[in-house]
Coordinates of all heavy atoms in Angstrom, one line a residue:
Q22 N -7.6 13.9 -9.4 CA -6.3 13.8 -8.6 C -6.6 13.5 -7.2 O -5.9 12.8 -6.5 CB -5.5 15.1 -8.8 CG -4.9 15.4 -10.2 CD -4.1 14.2 -10.7 OE1 -4.6 13.3 -11.3 NE2 -2.8 14.3 -10.4
N23 N -7.7 14.0 -6.6 CA -8.1 13.7 -5.3 C -8.4 12.3 -5.1 O -8.0 11.6 -4.2 CB -9.2 14.6 -4.8 CG -9.5 14.6 -3.3 OD1 -9.0 13.8 -2.6 ND2 -10.4 15.4 -2.9
I24 N -9.2 11.8 -6.0 CA -9.6 10.3 -6.0 C -8.4 9.4 -6.2 O -8.2 8.5 -5.4 CB -10.7 10.0 -7.0 CG1 -12.0 10.7 -6.6 CG2 -10.8 8.5 -7.3 CD1 -13.1 10.6 -7.7
I25 N -7.6 9.7 -7.1 CA -6.4 8.9 -7.4 C -5.4 9.0 -6.2 O -4.8 8.0 -5.7 CB -5.7 9.3 -8.7 CG1 -6.6 9.0 -9.9 CG2 -4.3 8.7 -8.8 CD1 -6.0 9.5 -11.2
G26 N -5.3 10.2 -5.6 CA -4.4 10.4 -4.4 C -4.9 9.6 -3.2 O -4.1 9.0 -2.5
Q27 N -6.2 9.6 -3.0 CA -6.7 8.8 -1.9 C -6.5 7.3 -2.2 O -6.1 6.5 -1.2 CB -8.2 9.0 -1.7 CG -8.6 10.4 -1.2 CD -10.1 10.6 -1.0 OE1 -10.7 9.9 -0.2 NE2 -10.6 11.5 -1.8
A28 N -6.7 6.8 -3.4 CA -6.5 5.4 -3.7 C -5.1 5.0 -3.5 O -4.7 3.9 -3.0 CB -7.0 5.1 -5.1
R29 N -4.2 5.9 -3.9 CA -2.7 5.6 -3.8 C -2.3 5.6 -2.3 O -1.5 4.8 -1.9 CB -1.9 6.5 -4.7 CG -2.1 6.2 -6.2 CD -1.1 6.8 -7.1 NE 0.3 6.3 -6.9 CZ 1.3 6.6 -7.7 NH1 1.1 7.4 -8.7 NH2 2.5 6.0 -7.5
F30 N -2.9 6.5 -1.6 CA -2.6 6.5 -0.1 C -3.1 5.2 0.5 O -2.3 4.6 1.2 CB -3.4 7.7 0.6 CG -3.3 7.6 2.1 CD1 -2.3 8.3 2.7 CD2 -4.2 6.9 2.8 CE1 -2.2 8.3 4.1 CE2 -4.2 6.9 4.2 CZ -3.2 7.6 4.8
L31 N -4.3 4.8 0.2 CA -4.8 3.5 0.7 C -3.9 2.3 0.2 O -3.6 1.4 1.0 CB -6.2 3.3 0.3 CG -7.2 4.3 0.9 CD1 -8.6 4.1 0.3 CD2 -7.3 4.2 2.4
R32 N -3.5 2.3 -1.0 CA -2.7 1.2 -1.5 C -1.3 1.2 -0.8 O -0.8 0.2 -0.4 CB -2.5 1.3 -3.0 CG -1.8 0.1 -3.6 CD -1.7 0.1 -5.1 NE -0.9 1.2 -5.6 CZ -0.8 1.4 -6.9 NH1 -1.4 0.7 -7.8 NH2 0.0 2.4 -7.4
G33 N -0.8 2.4 -0.6 CA 0.5 2.5 0.2 C 0.3 1.9 1.6 O 1.2 1.2 2.1
H34 N -0.8 2.2 2.2 CA -1.1 1.7 3.6 C -1.1 0.2 3.5 O -0.5 -0.5 4.4 CB -2.4 2.2 4.1 CG -3.0 1.4 5.2 ND1 -2.5 1.5 6.5 CD2 -3.9 0.5 5.3 CE1 -3.1 0.7 7.3 NE2 -4.0 0.0 6.6
F35 N -1.9 -0.4 2.6 CA -2.0 -1.9 2.5 C -0.6 -2.5 2.3 O -0.3 -3.5 2.9 CB -3.0 -2.3 1.5 CG -4.4 -2.0 1.8 CD1 -5.2 -1.2 1.0 CD2 -5.0 -2.4 3.0 CE1 -6.5 -0.9 1.3 CE2 -6.3 -2.1 3.3 CZ -7.1 -1.3 2.4
Y36 N 0.1 -2.0 1.4 CA 1.5 -2.5 1.1 C 2.4 -2.3 2.3 O 3.3 -3.2 2.5 CB 2.1 -2.0 -0.2 CG 1.6 -2.7 -1.4 CD1 0.9 -2.1 -2.5 CD2 1.9 -4.1 -1.6 CE1 0.5 -2.8 -3.6 CE2 1.5 -4.8 -2.7 CZ 0.8 -4.2 -3.7 OH 0.4 -4.9 -4.8
F37 N 2.3 -1.2 3.0 CA 3.1 -1.0 4.2 C 2.8 -2.1 5.2 O 3.7 -2.7 5.8 CB 2.8 0.4 4.8 CG 3.8 0.8 5.8 CD1 4.7 1.7 5.5 CD2 3.7 0.3 7.1 CE1 5.6 2.2 6.5 CE2 4.6 0.7 8.1 CZ 5.6 1.6 7.8
E38 N 1.5 -2.5 5.4 CA 1.1 -3.5 6.3 C 1.8 -4.8 5.9 O 2.4 -5.6 6.7 CB -0.4 -3.7 6.3 CG -1.1 -2.7 7.0 CD -1.0 -2.9 8.5 OE1 -1.6 -3.8 9.1 OE2 -0.3 -2.1 9.2
L39 N 1.8 -5.2 4.6 CA 2.4 -6.4 4.1 C 3.9 -6.4 4.2 O 4.5 -7.4 4.6 CB 2.0 -6.6 2.6 CG 0.5 -7.0 2.4 CD1 0.2 -6.8 0.9 CD2 0.2 -8.5 2.8
K40 N 4.5 -5.3 3.9 CA 5.9 -5.2 4.0 C 6.5 -5.4 5.4 O 7.4 -6.1 5.6 CB 6.4 -3.8 3.4 CG 7.9 -3.5 3.5 CD 8.6 -4.4 2.5 CE 10.1 -4.1 2.5 NZ 10.9 -5.0 1.7
K41 N 5.8 -4.7 6.4 CA 6.4 -4.8 7.7 C 6.1 -6.2 8.3 O 6.8 -6.7 9.2 CB 5.8 -3.7 8.6 CG 4.3 -3.9 9.0 CD 3.9 -2.7 9.8 CE 2.4 -2.8 10.3 NZ 1.9 -1.7 11.0
M42 N 5.1 -6.9 7.8 CA 4.8 -8.3 8.3 C 5.6 -9.3 7.6 O 6.2 -10.2 8.2 CB 3.3 -8.6 8.2 CG 2.5 -8.0 9.3 SD 0.8 -8.8 9.4 CE 1.3 -10.4 9.8
F43 N 5.6 -9.3 6.2 CA 6.2 -10.4 5.5 C 7.4 -10.1 4.7 O 8.1 -10.9 4.1 CB 5.1 -10.9 4.5 CG 3.8 -11.4 5.1 CD1 2.7 -10.7 5.0 CD2 3.8 -12.6 5.9 CE1 1.5 -11.1 5.6 CE2 2.6 -13.0 6.5 CZ 1.5 -12.3 6.3
N44 N 7.8 -8.8 4.6 CA 8.9 -8.3 3.9 C 8.8 -8.4 2.4 O 8.4 -7.5 1.7 CB 10.2 -8.9 4.4 CG 11.5 -8.2 3.9 OD1 11.4 -7.1 3.5 ND2 12.6 -8.9 3.8
M45 N 9.1 -9.6 1.8 CA 9.1 -9.8 0.4 C 7.7 -10.2 -0.1 O 7.4 -11.4 0.2 CB 10.2 -10.7 0.0 CG 11.6 -10.3 0.4 SD 12.1 -8.7 -0.3 CE 12.3 -9.1 -2.1
V46 N 7.0 -9.3 -0.7 CA 5.7 -9.6 -1.1 C 5.5 -9.2 -2.6 O 6.2 -8.3 -3.0 CB 4.6 -8.9 -0.3 CG1 4.7 -9.4 1.2 CG2 4.7 -7.4 -0.4
P47 N 4.6 -9.8 -3.4 CA 4.5 -9.4 -4.8 C 3.8 -8.0 -4.9 O 2.9 -7.7 -4.2 CB 3.6 -10.5 -5.4 CG 2.9 -11.1 -4.2 CD 3.8 -10.9 -3.0
W48 N 4.3 -7.2 -5.9 CA 3.7 -5.9 -6.1 C 2.7 -6.1 -7.3 O 3.1 -6.6 -8.4 CB 4.8 -4.9 -6.5 CG 4.2 -3.6 -6.9 CD1 3.9 -3.1 -8.1 CD2 3.8 -2.5 -6.0 NE1 3.3 -1.9 -8.1 CE2 3.3 -1.5 -6.8 CE3 3.9 -2.4 -4.6 CZ2 2.8 -0.3 -6.2 CZ3 3.4 -1.2 -4.0 CH2 2.9 -0.2 -4.8

């Protein structure tokens, strides 16, 4: 759960970056 939680945190960060820059991006 710790490993998966870290990976999902990082993925959330990367998608946050894309969302605030480009808005509509593929998931």
Side-chain angles (χ1 to χ4, degrees):
Q22 291 304 89
N23 191 351
I24 288 170
I25 292 174
Q27 289 179 67
R29 291 192 68 172
F30 173 92
L31 295 174
R32 187 173 68 181
H34 163 77
F35 290 124
Y36 273 120
F37 193 103
E38 285 285 288
L39 289 164
K40 178 67 177 175
K41 71 183 183 183
M42 279 198 63
F43 301 110
N44 190 24
M45 301 301 289
V46 299
W48 178 265

